[in-house]
Amino acid sequence: VDQSIENMQIFKKENHEYDVFFAASHGVGTSKLRNKNNLKEKYDPRVIFMKQLKNKSSNTKFRLFGMEGIHPVWANEFNNEISDCYMGICLQREPLLKYGLSDRLAQYAGNGLMVFIQYETMYNDLLTENHEAVYFNDENDLAKKINYFRENKSEALNIASNGHKKLHKNCNERVVTKYFIDCLNNPSKR
């Protein structure tokens, strides 16, 4: 988390136009859906997952980008869009790896969204379940949890606040840079 970039505290907002944010990325830089991405979309497990989730969560207001003909968002446009939501879904490309999460975690939780993370990442070793993040197994499990937190928004905002605090304290740019410098200076302690 870079405090100069992930500087919002969305959990402090009282009103959110949408419930859940998700942004698929098929490659940085174009801000447009390319034809090849539209073709890949029908086979992308993340897109398939999100379509199934939407069908199971008809009362939820989703804000989705990078799929279904909606262009990806970057930079200030990303920040404007994410701030209209209070929950975010971290879906990883397969194969899922232990502790393998994209920078979406920093962008979502670092800006104050409550995050849903796949159990298979084992991130619950780092962010406490139902205190700093919420974990799910599949779209049925996630749909139930989204509905619960949509009806218990203050609990979602509290989890978002806790996750935000932990990431900004333990995973900020200074801590990560110090770790890399220590590794370079003393390779035996890696």
Side-chain angles (χ1 to χ4, degrees):
V1 176
D2 185 330
Q3 297 176 46
S4 68
I5 297 169
E6 286 84 31
N7 55 24
M8 292 188 282
Q9 295 181 342
I10 295 169
F11 53 84
K12 288 186 175 181
K13 282 182 68 174
E14 291 184 24
N15 298 310
H16 301 89
E17 190 174 344
Y18 300 94
D19 301 310
V20 178
F21 184 89
F22 174 73
S25 173
H26 306 285
V28 178
T30 64
S31 296
K32 295 180 181 173
L33 286 175
R34 297 174 284 209
N35 285 336
K36 70 176 185 176
N37 292 336
N38 288 332
L39 296 173
K40 287 182 186 177
E41 185 174 302
K42 63 180 159 184
Y43 304 108
D44 186 326
R46 298 168 303 156
V47 174
I48 294 166
F49 181 97
M50 289 305 299
K51 287 179 180 181
Q52 292 171 341
L53 180 65
K54 274 180 55 180
N55 290 335
K56 295 174 187 209
S57 307
S58 59
N59 293 325
T60 301
K61 295 178 187 174
F62 287 93
R63 193 69 176 129
L64 307 175
F65 294 92
M67 58 182 279
E68 296 184 328
I70 301 171
H71 293 291
V73 288
W74 310 103
N76 288 336
E77 186 180 4
F78 180 91
N79 288 342
N80 291 337
E81 297 295 348
I82 198 173
S83 68
D84 285 336
C85 305
Y86 61 98
M87 298 184 279
I89 300 172
C90 295
L91 276 182
Q92 294 311 111
R93 288 188 177 106
E94 296 178 358
L96 296 177
L97 303 173
K98 181 178 181 179
Y99 307 141
L101 282 177
S102 72
D103 59 350
R104 292 293 191 223
L105 177 64
Q107 294 166 342
Y108 290 5
N111 278 311
L113 291 184
M114 184 191 81
V115 291
F116 294 105
I117 301 172
Q118 294 153 295
Y119 269 115
E120 290 177 79
T121 64
M122 299 181 71
Y123 240 79
N124 51 326
D125 290 347
L126 306 171
L127 294 173
T128 307
E129 185 170 3
N130 297 325
H131 180 70
E132 296 158 337
V134 177
Y135 299 88
F136 65 92
N137 289 308
D138 56 30
E139 69 272 0
N140 292 319
D141 185 31
L142 182 54
K144 289 176 191 170
K145 290 176 179 180
I146 286 172
N147 288 331
Y148 173 82
F149 286 108
R150 194 173 37 75
E151 294 174 9
N152 297 279
K153 185 175 177 179
S154 63
E155 192 174 339
L157 296 175
N158 189 48
I159 292 170
S161 175
N162 293 337
H164 180 271
K165 286 176 192 163
K166 183 159 191 177
L167 288 178
H168 277 270
K169 178 182 177 191
N170 297 332
C171 301
N172 65 59
E173 71 282 2
R174 291 181 307 278
V175 170
V176 173
T177 301
K178 182 182 180 322
Y179 171 76
F180 284 123
I181 291 171
D182 289 348
C183 287
L184 289 171
N185 289 331
N186 193 350
S188 65
K189 291 193 174 189
R190 288 185 199 160

